[in-house]
Amino acid sequence: MKASSKARYALYLMIDVTRHQATGPVPLREVSIRQNISLKYLEQIASHLSKFGYLESVRGAQGGYKLSRSAASISAGEIMRAAEGEFVSVACLEEEAESCPRQSDCCNIAAFWRGLHESIDTYTNKVTLKQLAGV
């Protein structure tokens, strides 16, 4: 399993903003340089994270982004889900999933997939942005 680039870059963006916002709003062009991520891609991610209420945009010459709430109150899981959607290890666990044609054959394996999903959610939800940023 592999985290998507969108989820990883959302974490990098949020960590960078956490580390640099003490001096004012953090311009995405600076994040782009420090993190070696395309400015256009960061703009898309930042816009998305703003809509979910994790980032606040500040306009103007000294504008940029800052966290909408404290880094200690934002989990890695929240950021990743905001960027990419709910993590599910297999398609049959998705909320809108059609009834699985193998459902009668795999009740034991389904419990495994649900457990994996819950373990990942539990872990990512307990790691805060503050911890990741080391501040």
Side-chain angles (χ1 to χ4, degrees):
M1 286 180 284
K2 195 165 142 181
S4 71
S5 62
K6 193 172 186 182
R8 288 191 327 269
Y9 291 171
L11 283 171
Y12 296 152
L13 168 60
M14 294 292 285
I15 291 166
D16 196 285
V17 170
T18 300
R19 289 178 175 162
H20 294 95
Q21 72 177 358
T23 57
V26 180
L28 286 182
R29 70 183 176 290
E30 292 178 10
V31 177
S32 174
I33 292 166
R34 282 191 294 264
Q35 301 299 325
N36 194 29
I37 302 171
S38 156
L39 180 58
K40 278 191 174 267
Y41 199 30
L42 280 176
E43 288 170 346
Q44 292 172 8
I45 294 169
S47 173
H48 201 68
L49 291 172
S50 293
K51 288 177 188 170
F52 275 84
Y54 298 108
L55 286 176
E56 189 177 305
S57 174
V58 178
R59 301 200 184 278
Q62 301 300 314
Y65 286 89
K66 61 183 184 174
L67 298 182
S68 296
R69 55 187 224 240
S70 76
S73 71
I74 301 172
S75 74
E78 289 177 285
I79 297 165
M80 294 173 73
R81 282 188 298 278
E84 197 60 49
E86 187 69 31
F87 169 81
V88 290
S89 47
V90 291
C92 62
L93 293 180
E94 292 176 5
E95 285 185 23
E96 300 87 30
E98 302 267 332
S99 180
C100 179
R102 295 183 180 200
Q103 194 168 17
S104 62
D105 299 331
C106 69
C107 60
N108 290 335
I109 194 80
F112 167 78
W113 293 123
R114 268 192 302 282
L116 176 61
H117 171 78
E118 290 168 6
S119 294
I120 291 171
D121 265 357
T122 298
Y123 179 73
T124 61
N125 287 339
K126 74 178 182 182
V127 177
T128 67
L129 182 55
K130 182 177 180 176
Q131 290 171 308
L132 292 174
V135 294

